[in-house]
Amino acid sequence: MPTPPPVLVDIKFNPEGVARALEKAFPDRGSINLANPADRGRDLSEAEYALLWKPDADLFVRAPNLKVIFSGGAGVDHIIGMNGLPEIPIVRFVDRSLTTRMSEWVVMQCLMHLRAQYSHDIHQRRRQWAKLIAPEAAEVTVGVMGLGILGLDAVAKLKVIGFSVIGWSRTRKEIDGVETFDAGALDGFLASTDILVGLLPLTPETTGFYDSGLFKKLRRNGALGRPVFINAGRGRSQVEADIVSAIRDGILGGASLDVFVAEPLGSDNPLWELENVFLTPHDAAVSEENALFRHVETQIARFERGEPLQFLVDRAVGY
Ligand code: NDP
Ligand code: OXD
């Protein structure tokens, strides 16, 4: 049997980790790693499968014979708008380790706001013994936007902690013990929410979605006093100037952001200095390379056996 063509890999994160994991991945077919200078000039026309994260703009011209595209992450907005994107299946990354990491981040951020960790940090630095009486989690309603793979896991884990949890998604979901809302019921969802958690993909509908109009519809005078905004979906879903003014004007009592309109976040961005705002550098749920390559191997094997691919992107809705 001839050796099958190598998997084309164009991933713009953690090049050392990717190179290390590629040494063991795809043993039957090998790979072309565009982060590797020795591979950069190679002819890509033989490649049938491409694993991509923020690929080169001319990738589809150089690799015209692809059969399946794999996203290096759960989101696919980095591919969907690309020029020359072929009409072939796009598979996103769905994996236990990524889901678990995101829920850890979400639960941690909700707890940091619940327990006023920002104030505790300040007191510690000043060597002040200052007790703060926090509400119980059950007194606070967390509203999760996006009830997909990540949202559903976060909902389950927030409930274990004891938060009251509600959820919102384009199409309504049935979740035991959780009030859910569909896209048309946005205002009712926001009016019941003390901590808003954004786990939405970036699409035309969700671009610029978290703005001052939305923040003003969140519940005021809940157990935390003022609502909190948490976003780990995509930065371009948020209007950052509106977050800044909402925090400064007291419309929001705090925020946690893992994603930003422009990444890395510029050192002069006012978000860095806001009170009760926690920022993380888009590392809420990184893709672990070994798990990512295993997932691609599994999907290629399914595809070649004639079985349906899993975790397919619906291009009509953009995620
Ligand atoms: P899924 O596709 O599984 O879920 C997306 C959810 O968003 C679905 O519930 C969907 O509704 C809902 N949704 C999409 N568009 C709308 C809309 N216009 N109005 C209302 N609801 C909408 O995605 P995942 O849960 O796997 O991932 C979500 C996003 O998280 C990714 O796209 C990515 O941007 C981000 N992410 C961020 C990471 C980080 O480290 N910060 C890591 C991984 C992912 P419905 O159920 O009706 O389809
Ligand atoms: C993803 C991400 O989409 O890391 O997986 O942002």
Side-chain angles (χ1 to χ4, degrees):
M1 271 234 311
T3 309
V7 175
L8 170 58
V9 178
D10 188 3
I11 292 181
K12 307 290 196 302
F13 62 73
N14 193 10
E16 296 82 17
V18 167
R20 212 174 312 118
L22 275 179
E23 285 168 18
K24 293 199 198 114
F26 313 119
D28 56 336
R29 63 185 73 228
S31 59
I32 301 174
N33 178 9
L34 292 189
N36 175 0
D39 280 356
R40 248 176 237 150
R42 275 179 68 174
D43 174 14
L44 308 184
S45 63
E46 61 173 330
E48 296 179 343
Y49 306 110
L51 170 55
L52 309 175
W53 184 258
K54 303 189 179 172
D56 293 345
D58 64 351
L59 187 99
F60 299 122
V61 176
R62 291 185 63 200
N65 296 315
L66 297 177
K67 292 181 178 165
V68 181
I69 294 170
F70 297 93
S71 170
V76 291
D77 48 290
H78 62 108
I79 304 171
I80 285 285
M82 280 184 71
N83 278 340
L85 177 66
E87 283 291 331
I88 56 175
I90 303 174
V91 174
R92 44 190 218 97
F93 184 38
V94 172
D95 173 67
R96 185 203 56 81
S97 72
L98 185 143
T99 305
T100 302
R101 285 182 168 135
M102 180 57 84
S103 293
E104 289 166 359
W105 187 89
V106 168
V107 170
M108 176 180 76
Q109 300 303 330
C110 288
L111 287 173
M112 295 223 286
H113 289 286
L114 177 75
R115 302 306 294 261
Q117 189 56 41
Y118 187 85
S119 299
H120 276 306
D121 283 348
I122 292 172
H123 296 151
Q124 180 181 339
R125 274 185 212 104
R126 292 181 188 153
R127 297 166 184 260
Q128 281 175 341
W129 185 265
K131 287 193 196 228
L132 298 171
I133 311 300
E136 256 186 61
E139 296 169 60
V140 172
T141 300
V142 181
V144 177
M145 301 194 106
L147 298 174
I149 301 286
L150 302 182
L152 288 176
D153 194 67
V155 164
K157 288 170 181 167
L158 288 163
K159 276 183 67 70
V160 169
I161 297 294
F163 284 104
S164 161
V165 185
I166 61 176
W168 182 84
S169 50
R170 196 170 54 82
T171 55
R172 193 160 161 262
K173 302 285 172 292
E174 289 289 340
I175 311 173
D176 208 22
V178 175
E179 190 182 2
T180 54
F181 300 73
D182 67 13
L186 178 62
D187 288 3
F189 166 83
L190 295 172
S192 303
T193 294
D194 300 311
I195 299 181
L196 182 68
V197 172
L199 287 173
L200 291 171
L202 183 71
T203 68
E205 285 71 41
T206 64
T207 301
F209 176 69
Y210 305 113
D211 64 4
S212 54
L214 181 143
F215 299 142
K216 284 181 187 148
K217 291 179 184 167
L218 292 166
R219 176 153 71 191
R220 307 198 63 73
N221 306 319
L224 295 178
R226 287 170 297 172
V228 166
F229 173 55
I230 294 177
N231 189 19
R234 280 291 178 268
R236 280 170 55 208
S237 291
Q238 67 203 14
V239 180
E240 287 173 357
D242 287 7
I243 298 175
V244 173
S245 57
I247 295 279
R248 286 184 178 152
D249 298 346
I251 305 291
L252 289 175
S256 296
L257 306 173
D258 183 60
V259 287
F260 304 90
V261 172
E263 296 178 3
L265 185 66
S267 59
D268 57 347
N269 194 300
L271 288 170
W272 289 110
E273 284 179 358
L274 293 177
E275 303 239 324
N276 208 23
V277 172
F278 298 99
L279 306 185
T280 52
H282 199 148
D283 62 1
V286 294
S287 297
E288 198 280 313
E289 294 83 15
N290 293 295
L292 176 61
F293 297 148
R294 271 197 307 273
H295 146 91
V296 173
E297 277 167 356
T298 303
Q299 296 305 318
I300 290 176
R302 288 179 69 95
F303 185 73
E304 296 193 338
R305 286 196 302 263
E307 294 169 18
L309 290 162
Q310 296 172 299
F311 319 123
L312 278 172
V313 172
D314 177 351
R315 289 195 189 207
V317 289
Y319 63 94

